[in-house]
């Protein structure tokens, strides 16, 4: 029907982060260059979704060689086209460089960030064009759905999921088959299935990556869920802010309808199923399944008490299954390849893989996927490349804003639902935040708790009032105004909030503060007793100083200081008036990045 | 038959209600904010009281009830950006331009909003101006960005 596809493909990532660095311009520049060099028959210029390594974006990949270019600029397009596509000589300048050895790594597969990953949920991310259903089909897409609707009963689908041991990737790790089976056994034919792509836990961006890069795997998974429970309608609940993800998902839906993977009598079977994208509210609590249902019904997204569970009484009071987007992306290969295959991967009680987002003080931040049970140390030191600037690791937070802080000594904890819980943290949103010695644990606990506090929907007292008082106590500690007994109060309050909140938001909110108190008590004591912030972070307890020996008097800091606290003639060490200083960090930042001498301003406690 | 009719009516009414959030979002995208007239209009179309609509809309931080400035600046205050110093951007706007969260400058040039994680943590701290994402900011580069938007020759 169409001409054969050119052998060489050059693929530009156009997901949100890369797009912010003008990747669309890179693609048009490449297209122009390819046309100018008469390479159109040999080279296809295309785009993909997220590779998970946004930090190094914009990313351009040349297939089939698997050459990986990073931090490409539109101006580099001509050189890539001339040297590499026409001349066969890749552009070394744009290769990824090993952060320590500085060695250039030309190929995708050899980059440490990718080398140690096992990509199952993200199997197609960065490989398929999210706007081409054919790309997905070529990689085995929709085979699971075809197999199910043409040769399996609903019970058999649930049975296969049970065999796989799949547990929900939304955070709690609930056995997926159990919810499906419960819903399937409910009477009535009005049932609903929902893909939870709310992802409003800060620091987590894998759901966005997945929906942007591979929307069809989610649609197929949702279709299989619909078939298994006997639902005829499904929703993809996507955060309002994720406009690109929603747009690509919408395009994908249209194609799936055209090819009869959705709609009435799917692939000639008796199963009919419709899916729509719903733009959600974008609050943290909207991700909680019952709150999500309220939001879909057009109300405030406030959680309801369970039971009844959504599988019994969900959307509009009808049986409903809400599954995380990553859970659903696991489903098609499980059906196509069998549950035993999936069960053989990962940890015994948590089969499969975990998708995590690595952020914070880490060399390689991004979205990575590893078998469940992989120790945190592998993620941080191998895939993540360790801590930058020769600093040392202080704490790791797993599970997003309400996850616990684990100290360096717990770094060998395997990443799976049960081991993390034993260590005092949670799997949660699988956001992993790495903190180095410059992080103040009081400040960190306060940051996370204030986030959760501001997201409390206000329905139950423990969460609404309790978290507020906890933030107040942490404020006191951070400003050096707390007494030692306040730490005990904080702990007691934390336990009350955890035990008496209605939903998971309140139940997990105190975890950061409680684990910080447990593992980093000496830092709290330093704030309370010595009125010092050892990491020099808490504003009320630090001062800014200019080191006269290092200051060359370049006046950069004088210019940026909003309160005119810094003075001094050019070429002479400047003077900082502590009385006027509001500790806004402007001088510190220009000095670090722009000043002639650099790093002549320090923060001390 | 009567049961069927009742079912159909109920179904229509809940579909209408379900379209409330998407509709508010659409309107805000085209008009920039939710005006009183818009809400009155939506109330009539969906047959949901104005009170109820305000109740729902004000729950979600994405909805605005004031027109945004020509440059709508969203500062991500998610945890990765927070740790990276994003609160300083808000403070800088407050001190140097007198503009706080949810406010618009009198000349309607800028409006400022602190928002939740935008899913771009790998390039944090992140600032979004009229939908365009700027990554790896610091207080100084942020204020330079604001200054560049103040010069009149910059096309909007
Ligand atoms: C405060 C809060 C926020 C949540 N946010 C999300 C979310 O953004 N995405 C998600 O999939 N699950 C989220 N959950 C978990 C859901 O309630 C639910 O357990 C999940 O969608 C079930 O899917 P699964 O079985 O596939 O994990 C959240 C839970 C709580 C308590
Ligand atoms: S915290 Fe700002 S983009 Fe994630």
């Amino acid at each position: 029907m169409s001409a054969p596809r050119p052998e060489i493909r050059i693929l530009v990532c156009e997901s949100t982060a890369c797009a912010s660095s003008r990747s669309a311009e890179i693609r048009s520049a490449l297209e122009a260059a390819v046309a100018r060099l008469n390479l159109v028959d040999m080279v296809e210029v295309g785009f993909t979704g997220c590779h998970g390594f946004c930090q190094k974006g914009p990313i351009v990949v040349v297939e089939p060689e698997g050459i990986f270019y990073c931090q490409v600029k539109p101006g580099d397009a001509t050189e890539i086209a001339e040297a590499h596509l026409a001349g066969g000589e890749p552009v070394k300048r744009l290769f990824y460089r090993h952060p320590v050895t500085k060695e250039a790594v030309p190929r995708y597969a050899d980059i440490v960030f990718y080398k140690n990953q096992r990509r199952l949920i993200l199997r197609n991310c960065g490989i398929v064009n999210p706007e081409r259903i054919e790309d997905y089909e070529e990689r085995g897409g929709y085979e699971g759905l075809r197999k199910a609707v043409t040769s399996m009963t609903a019970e058999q689908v649930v049975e296969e999921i049970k065999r796989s041991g799949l547990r929900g990737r939304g955070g709690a790790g609930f056995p997926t088959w159990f919810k499906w089976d419960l819903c399937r056994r409910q009477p009535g034919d009005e049932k609903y299935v929902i893909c939870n792509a709310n992802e409003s836990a800060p620091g987590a961006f894998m759901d966005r990556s997945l929906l942007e890069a591979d929307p069809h795997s989610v649609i197929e998974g949702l279709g299989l869920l619909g078939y298994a429970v006997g639902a005829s309608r499904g929703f993809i609940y996507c955060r309002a802010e994720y406009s690109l993800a929603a747009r690509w998902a919408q395009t994908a839906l249209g194609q799936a309808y055209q090819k009869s993977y959705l709609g009435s009598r799917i692939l000639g079977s008796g199963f009919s199923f419709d899916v729509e994208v719903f733009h959600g509210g974008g609050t943290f609590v909207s991700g909680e399944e019952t709150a999500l249902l309220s939001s879909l019904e057009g109300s405030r997204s406030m959680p309801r008490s369970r039971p009844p569970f959504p599988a019994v009484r969900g959307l509009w009071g009808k049986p409903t299954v809400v599954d995380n987007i990553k859970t659903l992306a696991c489903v098609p290969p499980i059906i196509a390849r069998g549950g035993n295959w999936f069960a053989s991967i990962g940890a015994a009680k948590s089969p499969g893989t975990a998708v995590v987002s690595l952020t914070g003080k880490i060399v390689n931040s991004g979205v990575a996927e590893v078998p469940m049970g992989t120790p945190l140390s592998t993620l941080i030191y191998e895939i993540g490349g360790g801590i930058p600037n020769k600093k040392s690791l202080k704490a790791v937070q797993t599970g997003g804003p309400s996850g616990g802080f684990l100290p360096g000594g717990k770094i060998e904890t395997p990443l799976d639902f049960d081991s993390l819980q034993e260590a005092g943290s949670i799997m949660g949103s699988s956001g992993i935040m790495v903190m180095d010695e410059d992080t103040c644990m009081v400040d960190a606990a306060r940051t996370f708790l204030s986030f959760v506090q501001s997201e409390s929907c206000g329905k139950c007292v423990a969460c609404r009032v309790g978290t507020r008082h906890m933030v107040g106590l942490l404020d006191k500690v951070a400003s050096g105004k707390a007494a030692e007994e306040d730490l005990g109060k904080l702990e007691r309050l934390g336990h009350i909030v955890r035990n008496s909140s209605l939903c998971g938001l309140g139940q997990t909110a105190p975890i950061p503060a409680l684990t910080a108190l447990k593992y980093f008590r000496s830092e709290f004591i330093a704030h309370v007793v010595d009125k010092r912030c050892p990491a020099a972070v808490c504003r009320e307890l630090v001062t800014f100083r200019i080191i006269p020996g290092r200051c060359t008097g370049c006046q950069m800091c004088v210019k940026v200081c909003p309160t005119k606290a810094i003075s001094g003639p050019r070429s002479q060490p400047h003077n900082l008036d502590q009385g006027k200083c509001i500790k806004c960090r402007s001088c510190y930042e220009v000095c670090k990045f722009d000043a002639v001498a650099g790093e002549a301003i320090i923060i001390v406690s | 038959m009567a049961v069927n009719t009742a079912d159909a009516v109920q179904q229509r009414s809940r579909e209408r209600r379900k379209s409330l959030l998407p509709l508010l979002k659409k309107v805000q995208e085209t008009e920039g904010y939710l005006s009183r007239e818009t809400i009155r209009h939506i109330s009539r179309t969906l047959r949901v009281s104005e009170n109820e609509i305000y109740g729902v809309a004000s729950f979600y931080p994405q909805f605005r009830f004031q027109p945004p400035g020509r440059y709508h600046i969203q500062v991500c205050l998610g945890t990765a950006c927070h740790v990276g110093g994003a609160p300083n951007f808000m403070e800088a706007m407050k001190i140097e331009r007198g503009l706080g969260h949810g406010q618009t400058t009198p000349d309607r040039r800028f409006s400022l909003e602190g928002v939740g994680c935008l899913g771009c943590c790998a390039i944090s701290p992140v600032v979004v101006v009229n939908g365009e994402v700027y990554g790896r900011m610091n207080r100084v580069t942020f204020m330079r960005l604001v200054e560049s938007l103040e010069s009149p020759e910059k096309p909007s």
Side-chain angles (χ1 to χ4, degrees):
Chain A
M1 132 191 119
S2 56
R5 284 185 96 174
E7 190 154 330
I8 302 177
R9 285 192 286 157
I10 180 159
L11 305 166
V12 184
C13 172
E14 292 193 7
S15 272
T16 308
C18 285
S20 78
S21 314
R22 301 154 61 195
S23 63
E25 276 173 55
I26 300 174
R27 178 155 66 105
S28 21
L30 279 169
E31 275 165 357
V34 164
R36 189 156 32 81
L37 297 167
N38 283 326
L39 295 174
V40 179
D41 293 336
M42 281 162 55
V43 179
E44 176 185 316
V45 182
F47 67 97
T48 64
C50 190
H51 295 265
F53 206 4
C54 313
Q55 187 195 17
K56 289 282 166 212
I59 289 167
V60 174
V61 175
V62 184
E63 297 287 4
E65 295 160 279
I67 299 285
F68 185 91
Y69 290 131
C70 54
Q71 291 173 323
V72 180
K73 297 196 175 59
D76 298 327
T78 314
E79 188 179 346
I80 296 177
E82 286 174 359
H84 187 173
L85 303 176
E89 193 60 46
V91 185
K92 290 210 179 60
R93 183 171 65 80
L94 298 171
F95 286 164
Y96 171 76
R97 286 188 184 273
H98 191 281
V100 181
T101 63
K102 303 288 174 222
E103 199 185 324
V105 189
R107 284 161 45 87
Y108 204 141
D110 298 327
I111 296 172
V112 274
F113 182 73
Y114 292 109
K115 208 163 65 183
N116 294 305
Q117 293 196 34
R118 161 133 200 195
R119 295 201 150 201
L120 189 157
I121 296 170
L122 305 175
R123 59 195 177 275
N124 296 321
C125 295
I127 297 171
V128 302
N129 175 332
E131 292 190 337
R132 274 176 56 99
I133 191 169
E134 295 80 9
D135 281 13
Y136 180 67
E137 289 173 320
E138 265 167 34
R139 295 180 53 83
Y142 288 113
E143 267 165 30
L145 183 67
R146 184 183 303 274
K147 182 172 167 190
V149 299
T150 55
S151 68
M152 291 169 86
T153 63
E155 289 97 316
Q156 282 171 329
V157 172
V158 175
E159 203 48 47
E160 206 60 56
I161 297 297
K162 185 174 180 182
R163 199 168 299 132
S164 75
L166 177 64
R167 295 172 68 173
R169 264 46 176 176
F174 195 76
T176 303
W177 75 272
F178 192 88
K179 295 201 299 198
W180 291 28
D181 200 44
L182 185 62
C183 184
R184 186 183 67 78
R185 287 190 281 106
Q186 298 303 312
D189 52 8
E190 192 185 340
K191 296 177 186 176
Y192 299 97
V193 292
I194 297 165
C195 163
N196 188 345
N198 180 60
E199 192 177 56
S200 44
F205 43 98
M206 52 285 220
D207 293 4
R208 169 181 69 74
S209 289
L210 176 57
L211 191 56
E212 280 177 3
D214 190 19
H216 284 290
S217 70
V218 180
I219 297 172
E220 186 180 357
L222 195 57
L224 283 162
L225 165 57
Y227 183 72
V229 303
S232 56
R233 202 163 159 201
F235 301 91
I236 298 176
Y237 186 97
C238 175
R239 260 184 86 180
E241 285 85 347
Y242 287 3
S243 49
L244 181 65
R247 198 166 73 226
W248 280 350
Q250 197 68 50
T251 309
L253 283 179
Q255 295 166 341
Y257 270 105
Q258 253 174 19
K259 293 217 161 186
S260 183
Y261 297 126
L262 287 178
S264 66
R265 308 188 63 83
I266 289 172
L267 298 169
S269 69
F271 173 54
S272 300
F273 187 62
D274 289 302
V275 177
E276 60 192 273
V277 176
F278 186 87
H279 296 271
T283 61
F284 182 42
V285 76
S286 304
E288 198 281 334
E289 54 185 7
T290 57
L292 181 149
L293 296 174
S294 307
S295 156
L296 251 170
E297 289 167 1
S299 301
R300 293 179 158 217
S301 52
M302 289 182 164
R304 312 168 187 171
S305 58
R306 299 175 302 177
F309 287 94
V312 179
R313 279 179 64 86
L315 189 63
W316 296 309
K318 303 294 178 194
T320 304
V321 174
V322 183
D323 265 324
N324 175 263
I325 177 169
K326 289 166 293 213
T327 314
L328 291 174
C330 288
V331 171
I334 290 177
I335 300 302
R337 305 176 64 168
N340 290 332
W341 160 78
F342 188 85
S344 71
I345 303 166
K349 283 192 182 155
S350 308
T353 53
V355 180
V356 299
S357 56
L358 289 168
T359 53
K361 299 291 167 60
I362 187 154
V363 172
N364 301 326
S365 68
V367 173
E369 181 170 1
V370 290
M372 285 273 187
T374 303
L376 289 173
S377 57
T378 308
L379 268 165
I380 295 169
Y381 288 105
E382 290 178 25
I383 295 174
I387 320 293
N389 307 325
K390 303 205 172 64
K391 302 270 179 175
S392 62
L393 176 92
K394 185 176 215 171
V396 186
Q397 186 193 31
T398 67
S402 43
F405 300 126
L406 299 178
K410 295 229 176 230
I411 185 103
E412 293 305 325
T413 308
L415 183 82
D416 63 59
F417 295 106
D418 310 304
S419 309
L420 285 177
Q421 188 136 26
E422 257 167 54
S425 188
I426 50 171
M427 190 74 161
S429 66
S430 319
I432 293 187
M433 169 80 86
V434 181
M435 302 173 189
D436 68 2
E437 56 195 274
D438 290 344
T439 313
C440 167
M441 299 315 289
V442 174
D443 180 67
R446 182 174 65 158
T447 304
F448 291 107
L449 195 67
S450 350
F451 167 76
V452 182
Q453 186 267 320
S454 66
E455 294 287 328
S456 168
C457 77
K459 187 164 178 170
C460 66
V461 181
C463 175
R464 183 184 66 233
V465 185
T467 54
R468 183 163 287 255
H469 281 289
M470 287 182 77
V471 172
L473 283 168
L474 283 166
D475 276 339
K476 253 174 107 179
V477 176
S479 56
K481 296 192 187 105
E484 238 182 304
E485 67 198 32
D486 287 324
L487 300 184
K489 266 192 208 160
L490 188 61
E491 233 156 10
R492 268 200 314 281
L493 198 51
H495 289 293
I496 296 174
V497 174
R498 188 165 72 182
N499 296 334
S500 46
S501 293
L502 175 67
C503 84
L505 187 129
Q507 289 158 8
T508 56
I511 297 180
L514 290 175
T515 49
L517 271 168
K518 179 166 165 201
Y519 293 121
F520 301 94
R521 201 169 189 100
S522 61
E523 263 190 77
F524 283 76
I525 300 289
H527 284 75
V528 173
V529 180
D530 312 332
K531 313 292 175 202
R532 263 187 73 240
C533 174
V537 172
C538 293
R539 262 197 189 191
E540 273 97 336
L541 304 178
V542 301
T543 47
F544 285 66
R545 287 206 195 126
I546 297 178
I547 308 175
R550 274 200 224 151
C551 178
T552 56
C554 72
Q555 298 225 310
M556 292 296 275
C557 54
V558 177
K559 273 185 220 138
V560 297
C561 178
T563 56
K564 312 241 181 305
I566 308 180
S567 57
R570 183 171 284 282
S571 309
Q572 274 171 38
H574 298 325
N575 183 36
L576 199 159
D577 180 350
Q578 299 295 346
K580 284 191 192 162
C581 176
I582 54 164
K583 301 168 187 174
C584 75
R585 286 176 77 91
S586 292
C587 56
Y588 177 77
E589 270 158 11
V590 273
C591 191
K592 198 161 172 189
F593 297 109
D594 292 347
V596 179
E599 319 233 338
I601 296 179
I602 54 164
I603 308 176
V604 288
S605 177
Chain B
M1 193 61 214
V3 174
N4 280 345
T5 321
D7 275 357
V9 169
Q10 191 202 12
Q11 184 147 357
R12 271 207 304 278
S13 110
R14 71 187 197 198
E15 289 293 329
R16 269 203 309 269
R17 183 63 196 248
K18 173 175 146 284
S19 62
L20 176 59
L21 280 174
L23 195 59
L24 290 172
K25 178 173 187 282
K26 251 247 130 69
V27 171
Q28 179 161 300
E29 264 167 19
T30 45
E31 297 185 3
Y33 73 113
L34 303 174
S35 66
R36 290 197 60 164
E37 296 73 58
T38 313
I39 292 201
R40 192 167 309 144
H41 185 72
I42 293 177
S43 155
R44 292 217 193 92
T45 339
L46 297 185
R47 290 184 239 168
V48 177
S49 81
E50 284 178 49
N51 261 344
E52 183 77 20
I53 297 181
Y54 275 111
V56 171
S58 59
F59 182 82
Y60 297 98
Q62 59 168 310
F63 295 118
R64 281 189 295 275
F65 303 96
Q66 304 293 334
R70 178 156 153 223
Y71 297 106
H72 184 60
I73 304 174
Q74 294 170 303
V75 175
C76 175
L77 296 178
T79 47
C81 295
H82 189 113
V83 172
N88 288 320
F89 309 167
M90 299 295 285
E91 189 198 70
M93 285 305 271
K94 184 89 214 168
I95 297 177
E96 299 184 29
R97 298 293 185 280
L99 193 62
H101 167 78
Q103 294 179 333
T104 307
T105 49
D107 65 355
R108 287 272 169 83
R109 193 168 190 91
F110 293 112
S111 48
L112 182 68
E113 191 184 2
V115 297
C117 175
L118 297 158
C120 299
C121 322
I123 54 168
S124 65
V126 172
V127 170
V128 175
V129 180
N130 292 352
E132 201 169 320
V133 180
Y134 296 85
R136 304 189 183 90
M137 303 294 279
N138 60 43
R139 180 167 174 150
V140 176
T141 49
F142 172 69
M143 285 318 286
R144 281 186 198 146
L145 173 67
V146 171
E147 276 157 29
S148 77
L149 300 175
E150 266 161 355
S151 49
E153 67 273 21
K154 170 102 186 174
S156 61

